[in-house]
Amino acid sequence: MYNKSLKELSASLRSKEVSSVELSQYFLARIKHFDGELNSVITSNEEVALSTAQQADKIIASGEGGLLTGIPLLHKDIFCTQGLRTSCGSKMLDNFVAPYTATAVNKLELAGAVMLGKTNMDEFAMGSSNETSFYGGVKNPWDLETVPGGSSGGSAAAVAARLAPLASGTDTGGSIRQPAAFCGITGIKPTYGRVSRYGMIAFASSLDQGGAMAKSAEDAAIMLQAMSGFDEKDSTSVDKPMDDLLAGLGDSIKGLRVGLPKEFFTEELDVDIREKVEAAVDALKSAGAIIKEISLPNINLSVPAYYVVAPAECSANLSRFDGVRFGHRCESPKDLEDLYKRSRGEGFGNEVKRRVMMGAYVLSAGYYDAYYKKAQQVRRLIKQDFVDAFKEVDVIASATAPSVAFTSGEKKDDPVSMYLSDIFTIGVNLAGLPAMSVPCGFVDKKPVGMQLIGNYFEESRLLNVGHQYQQLTDWHLAVPTGYEQEA
Amino acid sequence: MSIQSEDVLKIAHLARLGIEPEQVESYASDLSNIMVLVEQMNQVDTSDIEPMAHPLDQSQRLRADVVLETNQRDVLQENAPAIEDGLFLVPRVID
């Protein structure tokens, strides 16, 4: 049951082989059985889930609904869920019960999906290993000594361990793609503006984008289709209809032009990973794709520019956590300034503090031009490199991350080395492009991901390439040892 | 640019962020290392480049100035650390 595709699960629901209540109970039992050691789900929604599933069963019985009706899923705890704790992985919001629901969650609810719970994440989505969560790190089901990646590490680990068929994620610098790669699942971050940011707790507003995490490109396509779309409530939402993402999945990729950026195939990339990615590219070639070397001359500046833009926006966004209207408040503040400082000091963890300070620094008087303006200019150069590349190719392929999942604690005290684990993913966010990660093999029994980057609004093509690749390979069907048993 | 302990104290104050005195030095060292990374941007001349604030160069959409939200004070105040008579409580500001 746990390895069935969404289409298969939906067919089982339609044929009454299983009910949505039974399916929800099945995955809830897997969460109870397996998640003790993984720590991927931090809030259960069991009671509400079962009543939602009952509703879904009625809809199915009446012959209504769609592919997602009655399908269980998990949401990253960055998405506000009315009546259910929304912590963003932070002590600051440990007691926060969202008064409204994020548009992306709402859309999936309207499509009939059943929310089983909320997944663990790096605090305020700031991290690449899940170790910054107030609720403790998540373990990678492929090797419990290693991290699942981040910041959507809870979602990635849960889907990898088959605790749910789907999970939502968000991606500000690689937070869907890098954990998807580390956990051997498929994750897609669409073009900036495709998924509403309303009710998605803001980290860096010009970079944040919600997306889908699933076992396969096909499942991710179904989920992304349901969660995306124009939203009046998000001023950066794009008013452009999403393509029919399922319709194009089966298209041939004969003649597809695939670009390999030479800057992404250097000595920074682990040789064994390089070999796996090249084999994946060969598979695309065998299906008729044309492979070309391309150049993104300024891409090496994406991590430096990102660590100005993201902290600057983070420091502005996180100023709302002041201990007054919601969130953590310190004990017996002596005055208002003491209330602000201690509430924020106690409520935020180290990495969040680092980034808030970094942001306050680059935005402070006298430094704005040297850092923030400079970063925004570099950002345009990086975008222009991609625009030029897409005149020559249809998609760009690379490794998603320069290494496989690293050991817990390895990079925890070295922020710069942690930041560099996102070197292949960050440029995409600065440019606002869609990109995905698909599993393409194993190194030392740990999953490797291939990143596919598409032109603006070409999610359909990306998913088509991912799906075609998954017709030729079965890496995406591999289940970590121990989790292939029934709960 | 190297960030000193006094810079950290100044920035923390600007951000109204309480930090433990024994951590000031390690923040200074972390932030200095991040600045070394950031300053790689200076490798490229950007003098003629227009800054990019939005990936799709969109401007903010406007909407009609009409009330859409209903008053949900009670619901919203359920998350408040301290309230009284529908007001948010903070320490005395004016003596």
Side-chain angles (χ1 to χ4, degrees):
Chain A
M1 185 72 82
Y2 59 76
N3 226 18
K4 280 191 177 181
S5 72
L6 269 188
K7 279 187 173 172
E8 288 167 344
L9 286 174
S10 185
S12 300
L13 289 169
R14 297 280 160 192
S15 69
K16 309 285 189 305
E17 186 194 318
V18 67
S19 69
S20 173
V21 169
E22 287 163 344
L23 196 59
S24 302
Q25 282 167 335
Y26 171 83
F27 282 107
L28 285 166
R30 284 187 71 83
I31 292 170
K32 277 182 196 145
H33 185 79
F34 292 113
D35 203 46
E37 58 184 8
L38 292 178
N39 196 27
S40 68
V41 180
I42 50 177
T43 304
S44 171
N45 188 40
E46 178 161 358
E47 226 170 275
V48 176
L50 293 175
S51 81
T52 313
Q54 271 177 357
Q55 293 302 316
D57 281 329
K58 283 183 195 152
I59 294 169
I60 292 165
S62 68
E64 304 287 314
L67 278 172
L68 283 169
T69 308
I71 301 290
L73 52 60
L74 292 163
H75 283 298
K76 184 178 183 180
D77 207 21
I78 198 168
F79 288 101
C80 284
T81 45
Q82 188 172 9
L84 189 66
R85 181 180 72 167
T86 301
S87 74
C88 221
S90 181
K91 179 181 178 183
M92 181 59 84
L93 292 178
D94 184 41
N95 293 317
F96 180 69
V97 177
Y100 66 97
T101 293
T103 299
V105 171
N106 198 21
K107 279 174 165 282
L108 285 160
E109 229 168 69
L110 289 172
V114 178
M115 173 176 58
L116 300 182
K118 308 285 291 284
T119 59
N120 203 347
M121 56 182 283
D122 278 298
E123 184 179 9
F124 285 104
M126 297 174 200
S128 308
S129 69
N130 235 285
E131 290 164 294
T132 72
S133 170
F134 174 62
Y135 303 98
V138 176
K139 302 274 188 284
N140 188 323
W142 290 97
D143 178 350
L144 297 177
E145 300 295 310
T146 65
V147 301
S151 65
S152 312
S155 290
V159 172
R162 307 305 194 238
L163 306 186
L166 302 170
S168 57
T170 61
D171 192 313
T172 304
S175 281
I176 286 176
R177 292 159 287 154
Q178 183 252 24
F182 279 13
C183 292
I185 65 158
T186 303
I188 181 164
K189 165 219 162 325
T191 307
Y192 181 80
R194 278 293 203 192
V195 170
S196 170
R197 294 187 300 108
Y198 179 76
M200 194 178 104
I201 296 172
F203 155 21
S205 306
S206 77
L207 305 165
D208 296 342
Q209 183 56 208
M213 304 176 82
K215 296 190 292 288
S216 67
E218 181 184 78
D219 288 4
I222 295 169
M223 181 172 179
L224 183 61
Q225 189 89 60
M227 74 193 289
S228 57
F230 176 64
D231 183 11
E232 284 281 354
K233 291 174 177 162
D234 169 4
S235 65
T236 57
S237 176
V238 174
D239 192 0
K240 185 177 165 75
M242 181 66 108
D243 295 332
D244 182 340
L245 297 177
L246 281 180
L249 284 183
D251 292 353
S252 159
I253 58 166
K254 195 162 187 300
L256 178 90
R257 299 167 301 166
V258 179
L260 305 181
K262 62 178 189 213
E263 294 82 2
F264 281 174
F265 291 86
T266 61
E267 67 281 359
E268 276 156 347
L269 177 61
D270 178 289
V271 284
D272 296 323
I273 292 184
R274 180 181 182 137
E275 203 175 282
K276 300 295 167 196
V277 174
E278 285 172 346
V281 170
D282 281 343
L284 298 178
K285 195 174 171 185
S286 74
I290 300 154
I291 314 301
K292 293 175 86 163
E293 188 187 89
I294 57 161
S295 176
L296 301 168
N298 296 291
I299 197 74
N300 61 322
L301 299 179
S302 52
V303 179
Y306 179 88
Y307 279 97
V308 174
V309 175
E313 295 183 9
C314 135
S315 80
N317 274 323
L318 270 59
S319 63
R320 67 177 58 114
F321 301 104
D322 57 5
V324 174
R325 292 149 303 146
F326 54 88
H328 176 76
R329 174 183 287 197
C330 65
E331 292 290 337
S332 23
K334 66 176 181 356
D335 54 29
L336 196 56
E337 186 172 304
D338 182 46
L339 182 151
Y340 291 151
K341 286 186 172 173
R342 278 201 292 131
S343 299
R344 289 163 64 78
E346 293 166 8
F348 294 145
N350 271 342
E351 181 59 21
V352 172
K353 284 183 197 160
R354 253 182 229 127
R355 297 202 196 188
V356 166
M357 286 194 280
M358 184 71 195
Y361 182 70
V362 297
L363 292 176
S364 62
Y367 294 122
Y368 179 87
D369 279 3
Y371 298 114
Y372 194 69
K373 187 177 164 204
K374 177 82 183 179
Q376 298 285 52
Q377 290 170 316
V378 170
R379 191 174 179 184
R380 186 172 299 280
L381 293 177
I382 291 166
K383 173 187 168 162
Q384 195 53 47
D385 287 351
F386 278 112
V387 169
D388 292 342
F390 282 118
K391 289 174 186 154
E392 290 177 50
V393 297
D394 303 308
V395 299
I396 294 171
S398 73
T400 305
S403 72
V404 288
F406 45 86
T407 308
S408 304
E410 191 184 314
K411 301 186 181 197
K412 201 166 179 268
D413 300 317
D414 182 358
V416 170
S417 112
M418 186 73 87
Y419 297 171
L420 290 171
S421 64
D422 293 330
I423 49 171
F424 300 144
T425 49
I426 273 178
V428 162
N429 299 79
L430 291 168
L433 291 161
M436 70 189 292
S437 180
V438 290
C440 69
F442 292 85
V443 168
D444 300 332
K445 298 182 183 164
K446 297 179 187 72
V448 176
M450 166 169 66
Q451 174 174 240
L452 296 165
I453 306 169
N455 206 344
Y456 294 102
F457 306 112
E458 295 199 349
E459 290 81 10
S460 175
R461 193 197 300 263
L462 272 186
L463 288 158
N464 166 229
V465 179
H467 180 70
Q468 288 305 308
Y469 175 70
Q470 290 178 342
Q471 301 309 295
L472 302 168
T473 57
D474 59 2
W475 304 116
H476 62 293
L477 296 175
V479 179
T481 310
Y483 301 90
E484 68 284 68
Q485 15 165 334
E486 296 295 337
Chain B
M1 182 176 293
S2 166
I3 294 181
Q4 310 298 320
S5 293
E6 51 269 35
D7 299 321
V8 169
L9 293 172
K10 186 180 155 214
I11 309 164
H13 172 69
L14 286 175
R16 299 296 184 270
L17 193 62
I19 51 174
E20 300 297 326
E22 63 270 22
Q23 283 190 304
V24 172
E25 256 180 63
S26 80
Y27 282 126
S29 137
D30 288 345
L31 293 178
S32 297
N33 289 338
I34 299 168
M35 288 310 290
V36 170
L37 177 76
V38 161
E39 279 168 1
Q40 289 175 15
M41 291 193 303
N42 296 329
Q43 291 165 11
V44 61
D45 176 17
T46 52
S47 37
D48 298 331
I49 310 295
E50 194 193 335
M52 173 177 145
H54 184 288
L56 307 168
D57 284 322
Q58 276 191 346
S59 51
Q60 294 273 306
R61 231 181 18 255
L62 299 177
R63 66 164 174 85
D65 185 17
V66 288
V67 177
L68 298 172
E69 295 289 334
T70 51
N71 186 2
Q72 300 187 67
R73 170 148 60 182
D74 294 345
V75 178
L76 296 174
Q77 288 199 327
E78 278 171 24
N79 279 302
I83 51 165
E84 195 179 290
D85 301 330
L87 304 172
F88 293 99
L89 287 190
V90 292
R92 181 183 292 274
V93 180
I94 301 163
D95 286 317

